């Protein structure tokens, strides 16, 4: 029997996405964003308000990078979510992480996160049903150590998911089935 609970802001699991941009002075800003998804094979949507320093940077620089956070960097990932780029000017420097400037967009690729999607800003949707930041993915890159037989080895990524019910982070790993195949047993 199900018990009714308070509706929360999200559905579990939620991705833990690190969105990196350059500030106006060229320093790096990174924010933790759980409200993001793919719209298409090459388009992302980030449900972010315009008050975020990251959104201001995206609009000004026309580029950003979406990273998948991993268990090895949960402290840094959480810090990027609790420290605001509007008030903490040395946010990225305090993390001890490093970056490489993208050669496709005006944004930094954070070296320590295993997956990076370099995105070109398309538009910001701000009406009641708008999605926020929409971007076109120009390139997705994965650390070689996280590849196996030419494909991403998801277990080795140790991606983390956000739990909105208890405000925890969980590792995403352990394959349990085959998509587009297992359900065929019920046909």
């Amino acid at each position: 029997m199900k018990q009714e609970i308070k509706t929360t802001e999200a559905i579990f699991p939620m991705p833990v996405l690190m969105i990196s941009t350059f500030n106006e002075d060229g320093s790096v800003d990174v924010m933790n964003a759980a409200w993001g998804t793919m719209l298409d094979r090459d388009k992302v949507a980030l449900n972010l308000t315009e008050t975020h320093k990251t959104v201001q940077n995206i609009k000004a620089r026309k580029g950003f990078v979406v990273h998948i956070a991993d268990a090895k960097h949960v402290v840094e990932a959480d810090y990027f979510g609790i420290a605001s780029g509007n008030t903490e000017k040395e946010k990225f420097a305090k993390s001890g992480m490093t970056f490489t400037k993208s050669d496709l967009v005006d944004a930094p690729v954070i070296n320590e996160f295993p997956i990076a999607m370099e995105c070109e800003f398309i538009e910001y949707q701000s009406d009641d049903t708008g999605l926020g930041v929409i971007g076109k993915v120009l390139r997705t890159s994965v650390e070689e150590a996280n590849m196996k037989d030419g494909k991403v080895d998801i277990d080795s990524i140790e991606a983390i998911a956000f739990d909105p019910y208890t405000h925890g982070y969980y590792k995403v790993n352990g394959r349990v089935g085959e998509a587009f195949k297992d359900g065929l047993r019920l046909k």
Side-chain angles (χ1 to χ4, degrees):
M1 180 181 228
K2 290 184 176 56
Q3 178 180 339
E4 185 176 338
I5 63 171
K6 180 182 174 194
T7 301
T8 187
E9 68 271 47
I11 297 170
F12 177 80
M14 293 189 74
V16 181
L17 305 173
M18 299 292 108
I19 315 304
S20 62
T21 61
F22 283 123
N23 293 312
E24 57 278 346
D25 65 359
S27 61
V28 175
D29 177 65
V30 183
M31 80 169 289
N32 181 323
W35 294 359
T37 191
M38 298 300 295
L39 289 178
D40 201 345
R41 288 197 181 274
D42 66 346
K43 290 184 185 67
V44 297
L46 305 173
N47 190 350
L48 306 173
T49 63
E50 292 178 281
T51 57
H52 289 291
K53 180 67 175 158
T54 301
V55 173
Q56 296 164 21
N57 291 344
I58 289 169
K59 289 172 120 183
R61 299 282 187 144
K62 308 297 184 209
F64 58 99
V65 180
V66 177
H67 304 83
I68 306 296
D70 61 341
K72 293 177 198 137
H73 300 99
V74 69
V75 170
E76 294 88 346
D78 191 56
Y79 174 68
F80 291 143
I82 59 177
S84 170
N86 286 315
T87 56
E88 181 56 64
K89 301 302 177 199
E90 297 299 317
K91 181 175 166 177
F92 183 72
K94 284 184 177 181
S95 75
M97 296 183 117
T98 61
F99 74 95
T100 302
K101 185 180 182 325
S102 168
D103 59 359
L104 295 176
V105 295
D106 190 10
V109 176
I110 309 307
N111 298 323
E112 290 78 8
F113 291 126
I115 298 179
M117 296 185 297
E118 296 162 74
C119 302
E120 177 180 67
F121 177 59
I122 295 175
E123 69 175 315
Y124 187 84
Q125 300 177 352
S126 60
D127 62 6
D128 286 346
T129 59
L131 296 171
V133 174
I134 308 297
K136 179 175 178 58
V137 180
L138 301 180
R139 174 171 53 208
T140 301
S141 56
V142 179
E143 287 294 327
E144 288 180 8
N146 300 112
M147 298 290 292
K148 184 177 181 181
D149 300 325
K151 295 184 180 183
V152 178
D153 179 9
I154 292 297
D155 281 338
S156 75
I157 297 286
E158 294 190 328
I160 56 175
F162 173 64
D163 161 20
Y165 299 105
T166 67
H167 294 170
Y169 294 110
Y170 291 83
K171 278 197 286 188
V172 178
N173 65 355
R175 189 178 189 114
V176 297
E178 299 300 319
F180 310 108
K181 184 177 178 186
D182 288 350
L184 295 174
R185 289 183 283 181
L186 299 179
K187 278 192 133 191

